[in-house]
Amino acid sequence: MSSTAPHGVLPHGDELFAVTRGLAADNQSLTPGDIVVLFDIDTAPIGGTEIWYFCSGLVDGAAPVWKGNTYAPHPIVAEGFEWAGRGQLPRPKLTVGNALGLLQAAVVQYNDLLGAKVTRWKTLKKYLDGQPDADPDTHYIPDVYHIDRKVSQTKGMIEFDLSAALDQQGVMLPRRQIIRDSCTETYRKWDAATAQFVPGTCPYAGAAKFTAKDAPTDAAHLDVCSHKLSGCKARFGADGELPFSGFPAVSRTR
């Protein structure tokens, strides 16, 4: 890292590839500006709704904001992302400071965050929100990985091994099992503390509620989807458009 670069940004490097015309022009410039590195950890692939946005330091004395998201400065070390485009896929390591407990609760709730998606973004400081040239669509090719293993955890840090989507233990192709009457969408959950539903990946937001056996109920905390086609029909109507993520047309083979 250059000694003249602000915290949270990196000097321009030749190893990065532009994905927009603007960045292509920046790469040809003698003074393209500082590169900002940002990280997202998304729990959607493991059934969660939280996304954490963080970076390694302040930019011009403040937490960087990009795409409308504020990236909290936090101790972080990311290494092993480089790939020459051939040979074995990289297996990066991500070490996140744990003194403030940023991911502590999530590690407990989501089984060490195994399977959570980690995206490393790189853009130029001038494209951050609030800059004269702010542009949320101008960035380098993002590095997208999933947490494959929690290597270690102490009071001061948590270290993860990352892997590409097709480089994880136990991953098979096709990725999904073809099951006739089992929807894979995440249904909303009732939060008694806020007296509201926490949305999932299922688009249902209606007032009608049903139990896990598809029986009508007035109790919000009993509103649980059966994940069967019958549960979808109860909420969207037997003749409605059903966002069912199973394979109801599949027949058993003998």
Side-chain angles (χ1 to χ4, degrees), residues 35-51:
I35 292 175
V36 181
V37 183
L38 309 168
F39 292 87
D40 302 352
I41 296 183
D42 187 357
T43 61
I46 53 177
T49 58
E50 299 93 341
I51 303 177

Side-chain angles (χ1 to χ4, degrees), residues 36-43 45 51-55 66-67 71 76 78 81 92 94 115-122 139-147 162-163:
V36 181
V37 183
L38 309 168
F39 292 87
D40 302 352
I41 296 183
D42 187 357
T43 61
I51 303 177
W52 288 274
Y53 304 97
F54 56 94
C55 60
W66 190 54
K67 294 179 178 287
Y71 286 80
I76 180 172
F81 282 86
L94 183 69
K117 184 172 73 172
V118 176
T119 304
R120 184 177 75 154
W121 299 94
K122 294 182 180 180
H139 55 80
Y140 294 92
I141 297 173
D143 298 308
V144 181
Y145 289 85
H146 290 80
I147 293 178
L162 309 182
S163 63

Side-chain angles (χ1 to χ4, degrees), residues 147-163:
I147 293 178
D148 186 54
R149 183 171 70 100
K150 185 182 76 174
V151 178
S152 62
Q153 179 176 349
T154 67
K155 292 183 178 179
M157 52 77 69
I158 305 177
E159 181 180 352
F160 300 102
D161 276 344
L162 309 182
S163 63

Side-chain angles (χ1 to χ4, degrees), residues 10-94:
L10 296 174
H12 180 71
D14 294 334
E15 76 281 1
L16 299 174
F17 299 92
V19 294
T20 66
R21 290 184 179 180
L23 281 176
D26 289 325
N27 281 344
Q28 301 300 318
S29 172
L30 296 177
T31 57
D34 293 314
I35 292 175
V36 181
V37 183
L38 309 168
F39 292 87
D40 302 352
I41 296 183
D42 187 357
T43 61
I46 53 177
T49 58
E50 299 93 341
I51 303 177
W52 288 274
Y53 304 97
F54 56 94
C55 60
S56 62
L58 301 174
V59 176
D60 290 341
V65 180
W66 190 54
K67 294 179 178 287
N69 303 310
T70 299
Y71 286 80
H74 201 74
I76 180 172
V77 176
E79 53 189 3
F81 282 86
E82 293 75 18
W83 186 44
R86 60 182 181 275
Q88 185 176 356
L89 292 171
R91 296 182 65 86
K93 290 185 178 295
L94 183 69

